[in-house]
Amino acid sequence: EEFAATGFELVLDASWIIGMCGFAEAAIVLGDPKYAGPLFDQLSPWADLWCTTGITCQGPVSHYVGALAAVLGRFAEADAYFSQSASMCARAHAKFFAARTDFLWGKMLAESNAPGDVEKAQGLLAKAHTAAQANGYGRIEQRSAAAFQLLDQ
């Protein structure tokens, strides 16, 4: 709340992107457009970059921007950003970040429920689950399995 009240203003330095992606992660988990909107606006110009300080990495910024767009109900934009994130992950052979993107992308498609989205969601969630199972990404494995089960209801 306090940071949102400042307009999500952080000093634009080497740690800015990590901080903003951290706040984006919180807004995504909360699923609140009040927080997602301003963060989307600030992060979207950086969507073609990796969220990194050079020492740590949190994946493609497009992953966060896609998830924020999904929170905002802007599913076509979210789809494009998730596609960008998946492509970046594939080029970098970043299996963990790819599984994380596939999970949120599949979850978003399941929620949007547009024609053809359920089938695409099933494929993405299965892909995320398989990668998570093979590589020991326990949280992604659990969440993708739970989201996949929701599709069957």
Side-chain angles (χ1 to χ4, degrees):
E1 282 293 328
E2 289 176 28
F3 189 52
T6 71
F8 294 100
E9 292 294 326
L10 279 180
V11 174
L12 189 56
D13 62 10
S15 63
W16 180 87
I17 199 80
I18 292 288
M20 293 302 284
C21 288
F23 283 107
E25 186 79 37
I28 293 159
V29 170
L30 289 173
D32 191 334
K34 172 176 135 182
Y35 304 116
L39 289 163
F40 175 91
D41 292 340
Q42 289 200 42
L43 283 171
S44 59
W46 308 96
D48 60 338
L49 300 178
W50 285 83
C51 179
T52 182
T53 62
I55 297 170
T56 65
C57 183
Q58 299 300 318
V61 175
S62 52
H63 166 85
Y64 298 94
V65 177
L68 292 167
V71 169
L72 296 169
R74 294 157 56 173
F75 299 126
E77 284 179 86
D79 191 65
Y81 284 115
F82 282 134
S83 178
Q84 179 182 13
S85 178
S87 178
M88 291 171 71
C89 291
R91 284 192 308 274
H93 304 283
K95 295 176 189 178
F96 172 75
F97 297 124
R100 196 174 63 150
T101 292
D102 288 341
F103 162 65
L104 282 181
W105 193 4
K107 185 173 175 260
M108 181 275 301
L109 289 168
E111 291 168 0
S112 74
N113 204 21
D117 282 357
V118 170
E119 293 79 16
K120 188 173 178 182
Q122 288 172 328
L124 287 165
L125 291 170
K127 185 177 166 189
H129 186 265
T130 299
Q133 208 170 31
N135 294 292
Y137 311 144
R139 184 75 88 199
I140 296 171
E141 182 180 354
Q142 294 166 350
R143 290 179 177 169
S144 59
F148 197 83
Q149 287 180 340
L150 291 175
L151 289 172
D152 293 335
Q153 295 178 359

